[in-house]
Amino acid sequence: MRARLERDFERFKRELPGDFPHYIRSAYRIDLTARYLGYTIPHPIGKASGQLSLSVEQLDTDRAAGLAFVVLKTAIAEDAEGSRSMGAWAVHETRMKVERRSSASGDEGWTVTWKGRGWDRSLDEYLALVRAAADLTRSGEIVAVPSVKYHLPRLDQEFRETEYRYTTERLASAWGTGFLPLEKDFSPTLAGNELADEREQVLRWLREVPGRIRSAAGPGGVRLALKLMNARFDDAFQVRMVEAAGSADALVVFNRMWDPELTVAFGGFDLSDRNLRVLRAVREQHLATPPLSGTGNVCSGRLILDYARLGCESVQLHTFFQLPLSEYPASEGSRPQRALHTLLFHPEHGLIAGMLDLESAGLLPRQDGELRFLQIGKIECP
């Protein structure tokens, strides 16, 4: 299998197999089936919300590449009159700077910087994208999920119910039949805002927002993931955030960190180190959580396994889809295709190699002759 993996890594530099999860299951007896927000997906790799998921053309590219799921750019909620309490997050900025960033531990990774925030066009334009996402999801080719930022009050304020109701009802109508899948984004720029200065205020949001969205969702209902920010407090508070968000249907853990001096969010190994450290604390404290989707510096199959061993049933990437083309071993294909080639087939750092190593170490037994991705979370905490 090791020799085959090296051959496949070279062979697929030009093009991945059309149904690579099936190929991997056939060739390596590895079942990559994963889950995201209740959906069963063919493998664990999806695209996080951001500048790379704001058009139908981008969704088509991701579908053709074979991504398992995509989260749309984050819309800013509004009421029937078009008033948006979080309108400061509707900032237009498409230019992104991809650069190296060294972590406190000395590891050199990548981060992407841009001054934009959420969706800066009209809600009607966003709903057109949601309709396309719903069609793609129902086709079974890829799961595509909208993302929203709603009103977040101070401790002495009430939630703006009209904003929650109007936006959620319109999203549900655009999605069509069945439940509305939705991410509520607690963005990294929120961590840098004075709104997030009070710990109890943040915990109140996490406890109460799911109920507000569900009450506004209508007869079809909503399946809700909370994308948690990295707050500007210690790891212990980050664990409290996970605990407070327990009524969600899923958690995305955790958004980028905030640099108060540069006033930008950042990634790299500082981010994944903290995320994994907090998830390890959650596991060690035996806290019950909704299903988890990991995010933050997912730059190798080994990092996917690190998140999976701490309970994540899927992962979301953003930065790794934006590297200079010279950073990908693949010679052809879109950036999502090249990223998948590295994440899956790299003979040392890829997901297949990592799962074979877990098997060799006696940590991941085969079931009916197969190694299964969703069994990785049952391995004893590293």
Side-chain angles (χ1 to χ4, degrees):
M1 283 191 177
R2 301 288 178 172
R4 169 178 277 176
L5 183 56
E6 291 184 5
R7 291 195 303 270
D8 282 348
F9 181 65
E10 293 299 321
R11 186 158 64 111
F12 298 145
K13 283 182 176 180
R14 295 178 63 86
E15 185 178 16
L16 288 175
D19 184 353
F20 60 82
H22 175 77
Y23 173 81
I24 291 169
R25 191 167 190 173
S26 174
Y28 298 94
R29 304 304 296 161
I30 290 178
D31 179 4
L32 292 180
T33 299
R35 285 191 289 263
Y36 165 68
L37 197 51
Y39 289 100
T40 298
I41 49 180
H43 64 86
I45 303 168
K47 179 181 282 185
S49 173
Q51 292 297 102
L52 303 181
S53 53
L54 47 69
S55 72
V56 174
E57 291 75 19
Q58 288 171 322
L59 293 180
D60 284 338
T61 297
D62 295 336
R63 175 197 54 76
L67 291 185
F69 67 97
V70 175
V71 184
L72 306 183
K73 178 76 171 176
T74 300
I76 309 301
E78 62 184 55
D79 62 20
E81 284 70 46
S83 176
R84 299 183 293 186
S85 63
M86 307 297 280
W89 272 263
V91 176
H92 175 72
E93 178 57 68
T94 58
R95 290 176 298 173
M96 295 180 285
K97 184 178 181 181
V98 182
E99 54 193 340
R100 292 281 192 178
R101 185 180 178 104
S102 295
S103 70
S105 61
D107 294 316
E108 190 174 67
W110 291 90
T111 188
V112 175
T113 304
W114 75 96
K115 296 291 186 180
R117 293 182 173 184
W119 181 266
D120 64 320
R121 305 175 214 165
S122 71
L123 180 59
D124 284 340
E125 289 175 281
Y126 192 77
L127 295 175
L129 183 60
V130 170
R131 292 185 191 97
D135 289 341
L136 281 171
T137 301
R138 279 190 274 271
S139 77
E141 295 179 87
I142 190 171
V143 172
V145 172
S147 170
V148 183
K149 187 183 298 297
Y150 292 88
H151 174 240
L152 297 173
R154 299 185 183 277
L155 273 173
D156 59 351
Q157 295 177 332
E158 296 297 321
F159 285 86
R160 295 192 183 182
E161 302 287 356
T162 54
E163 190 177 283
Y164 277 77
R165 187 164 301 281
Y166 179 76
T167 299
T168 308
E169 285 178 349
R170 295 210 62 191
L171 285 168
S173 176
W175 186 264
T177 58
F179 66 87
L180 169 69
L182 186 66
E183 272 196 15
K184 163 65 182 84
D185 184 14
F186 289 92
S187 70
T189 51
L190 176 63
N193 190 277
E194 63 178 10
L195 270 174
D197 284 343
E198 296 288 337
R199 298 181 186 223
E200 291 306 315
Q201 195 159 271
V202 172
L203 296 177
R204 178 199 177 195
W205 298 337
L206 298 175
R207 294 188 188 107
E208 297 188 27
V209 161
R212 305 284 172 179
I213 296 173
R214 287 196 179 99
S215 67
V222 64
R223 191 179 289 170
L224 178 67
L226 298 185
K227 186 173 187 179
L228 302 185
M229 63 183 176
N230 264 295
R232 288 173 291 141
F233 304 116
D234 58 16
D235 289 0
F237 181 75
Q238 202 71 16
V239 173
R240 289 185 67 195
M241 288 175 59
V242 172
E243 194 171 17
S247 66
D249 297 300
L251 300 180
V252 183
V253 287
F254 301 96
N255 227 319
R256 294 182 302 157
M257 299 172 70
W258 181 254
D259 187 324
E261 295 183 4
L262 299 177
T263 64
V264 294
F266 67 91
F269 282 94
D270 283 327
L271 173 58
S272 55
D273 287 348
R274 189 192 198 209
N275 287 0
L276 295 170
R277 192 170 63 241
V278 170
L279 290 174
R280 188 172 293 110
V282 169
R283 174 70 67 92
E284 290 171 349
Q285 294 178 33
H286 304 289
L287 296 180
T289 69
L292 304 177
S293 183
T295 192
N297 192 43
V298 181
C299 57
S300 70
R302 300 285 180 174
L303 258 296
I304 295 174
L305 289 174
D306 287 341
Y307 278 103
R309 290 192 66 176
L310 293 169
C312 295
E313 298 181 336
S314 60
V315 292
Q316 304 185 15
L317 293 67
H318 193 268
T319 299
F320 198 68
F321 293 130
Q322 301 177 74
L323 303 187
L325 289 179
S326 59
E327 293 297 317
Y328 302 107
S331 57
E332 296 185 25
S334 65
R335 277 184 170 82
Q337 288 173 318
R338 297 181 191 216
L340 287 167
H341 167 258
T342 302
L343 294 170
L344 295 167
F345 288 99
H346 194 287
E348 182 179 354
H349 304 297
L351 183 57
I352 295 170
M355 291 182 68
L356 293 175
D357 283 349
L358 289 175
E359 180 189 24
S360 297
L363 296 174
L364 184 62
R366 291 184 179 264
Q367 298 184 344
D368 298 325
E370 294 183 331
L371 300 179
R372 294 177 178 169
F373 177 80
L374 286 174
Q375 293 298 311
I376 294 172
K378 298 180 181 179
I379 298 174
E380 185 177 348
C381 185

